[in-house]
Amino acid sequence: MAASSLSITDDLEAQLTCAICNDIFTDPRTLLPCLHTFCFNCIKRWNEACEKECKRLRCPTCRVVVNIEGGDISKLPSSFQSNSLLQLYKKCIAKSHSSHDKVKTEKSAEDAKKLIREDIDRLNELIAEYRKELELSDENMSRIQSETDTEKAKVRNNTRSLMKILQDHENASIAILDKNLVEQRSSNKDEKNEINAHIQQVTELKNQCEKIMSEKDFGSEDFDNLQVICKAILQNKSISSTKPVKRNSSLCYKPNPEGIPFMENLKFGEVVESVTDPSRCSIECLRETINTALIKNG
C-alpha cells in the first residue's frame, strides 16, 4: 500500500513539475494554444525577459507563440486540471508523511523503551548495591556494638583497679588513725588510773592530818612522821602519769597537694577511633562510586 501511494505521488510530481523552475506548480497557468502549463511567476519572468529583447512570448517547451489577451500576462487562464491534481498530490503527500511519521514515531518509541529498559537495569543494579550496603551497615553496627561492650568492660576494669588503689590508700590511712586512737585511749586509761591513785593517796594523807589536828593530845613522833610524808608529797610538783598521754601532739592526715591535680591531669586511658577500611568511611563514598559507575555505563 505504501509503495503504491509512493508510485502515484511520483507520477503526480512528474505531471505537476514546472519546466522553468523544476519545482511543483505554484498558481499554475496554461498557455494558449499549446496548453503547456507553468507557474504564474515563472511565466511572468519569462515574458519580461522576452519583452526586454523585444520578442514575442513563446512557450518555453514547444516554442509556439503565445496569445496574451490584451497583452496582460495576469489574464493567462488558471489550469483547472493542474489545480485538481495539486489537491490530489497534497493529499497523497500528507498520507505518505502520516505513514512515515507513524513509522518514525514507532521507531522512536521503541528506541525510548530500549533506553528505559537499560535505565531500569542500571537502577536495579543500584538497588542491589544499596541493599548490599544495608547488610554491610547492619554487620558494621553489630561489630561496633560488640566492640563497644568489650571496651566498656575494659574501662570498668581499669576504673576498678584505680579505685582499689585509692581504697587501699584510704584503708591504710584510716587504720593508722584507728591504731593511734586505740593506743591513746589505752594510755589515757592508765594515766587516769595513776592520777586517781595519787588523788586517793593525797586524800588519805589529808584526812590523817585533819584527824591529828582534831585530837587534843598527839605525840611528837606521829607529827614528825606525818610531816615527812607531807613534805615528800608536796615536793613532788609533777602529778602527771609516768606514761602520760601525748597531750601536746596532734595527729592529722596531710594529703599530697600535687596528688589531686596529678590525678586530674593523668590520662588513665582514652577512647581512640581507628578506620579499618578507608574506602567504606561513609555513604557519600558509596554514592560517588555508584555515580561514577553509572556515568561510565551511560
Side-chain angles (χ1 to χ4, degrees), residues 57-69:
L57 176 61
R58 291 179 178 273
C59 175
T61 300
C62 64
R63 314 304 293 176
V64 172
V65 176
V66 178
N67 297 323
I68 301 176
E69 183 180 352

Side-chain angles (χ1 to χ4, degrees), residues 1 31 53 63 144 164 197 222 227 275 281:
M1 182 67 180
L31 303 183
E53 296 179 2
R63 314 304 293 176
I144 291 175
K164 184 178 184 303
D222 293 333
Q227 192 174 22
V275 178
C281 289

Side-chain angles (χ1 to χ4, degrees), residues 112-276:
K113 288 180 180 179
K114 181 180 178 181
L115 292 175
I116 291 174
R117 282 193 292 269
E118 292 175 355
D119 288 340
I120 290 174
D121 291 339
R122 286 197 292 268
L123 290 173
N124 285 331
E125 292 175 1
L126 181 59
I127 291 172
E129 288 293 331
Y130 276 122
R131 285 177 176 168
K132 187 185 297 182
E133 287 302 315
L134 280 177
E135 294 177 359
L136 292 174
S137 180
D138 290 338
E139 292 176 3
N140 186 58
M141 195 63 244
S142 298
R143 176 185 60 80
I144 291 175
Q145 182 65 55
S146 177
E147 290 178 354
T148 300
D149 293 340
T150 301
E151 298 311 308
K152 280 182 178 180
K154 290 181 181 179
V155 171
R156 292 190 180 99
N157 291 335
N158 188 51
T159 303
R160 289 192 186 99
S161 298
L162 294 171
M163 291 177 66
K164 184 178 184 303
I165 294 173
L166 295 175
Q167 189 65 52
D168 290 345
H169 171 74
E170 177 185 340
N171 293 337
S173 299
I174 290 176
I176 293 173
L177 292 171
D178 287 341
K179 180 181 178 182
N180 181 75
L181 180 62
V182 170
E183 291 176 353
Q184 289 292 337
R185 282 177 177 170
S186 177
S187 298
N188 180 262
K189 182 179 179 180
D190 293 341
E191 182 183 60
K192 288 172 67 176
N193 290 335
E194 188 174 350
I195 292 172
N196 286 328
H198 282 293
I199 291 173
Q200 184 177 359
Q201 182 183 10
V202 173
T203 301
E204 290 177 354
L205 180 59
K206 185 193 75 166
N207 291 335
Q208 289 180 12
C209 291
E210 290 176 349
K211 182 178 180 182
I212 292 174
M213 289 292 294
S214 63
E215 293 179 354
K216 294 181 179 181
D217 297 321
F218 59 90
S220 59
E221 184 178 351
D222 293 333
F223 173 76
D224 291 338
N225 291 334
L226 186 60
Q227 192 174 22
V228 171
I229 295 173
C230 288
K231 185 177 181 180
I233 292 176
L234 292 174
Q235 284 180 349
N236 185 12
K237 297 181 179 179
S238 174
I239 61 172
S240 299
S241 170
T242 56
K243 296 180 180 180
V245 180
K246 298 178 182 179
R247 295 176 179 176
N248 295 325
S249 65
S250 62
L251 192 66
C252 65
Y253 174 73
K254 292 184 178 181
N256 185 350
E258 297 179 356
I260 293 178
F262 175 78
M263 294 289 285
E264 289 176 345
N265 296 324
L266 181 63
K267 283 190 175 181
F268 300 106
E270 61 180 339
V271 178
V272 179
E273 182 180 7
S274 60
V275 178
T276 56

Side-chain angles (χ1 to χ4, degrees), residues 125-137 277-295:
E125 292 175 1
L126 181 59
I127 291 172
E129 288 293 331
Y130 276 122
R131 285 177 176 168
K132 187 185 297 182
E133 287 302 315
L134 280 177
E135 294 177 359
L136 292 174
S137 180
D277 186 357
S279 65
R280 302 188 52 75
C281 289
S282 64
I283 194 66
E284 285 74 15
C285 295
L286 171 64
R287 291 197 188 100
E288 183 177 352
T289 302
I290 293 175
N291 289 336
T292 302
L294 288 176
I295 292 172

Side-chain angles (χ1 to χ4, degrees), residues 63-82:
R63 314 304 293 176
V64 172
V65 176
V66 178
N67 297 323
I68 301 176
E69 183 180 352
D72 187 358
I73 193 71
S74 64
K75 291 184 178 181
L76 286 174
S78 294
S79 175
F80 176 78
Q81 180 182 3
S82 295

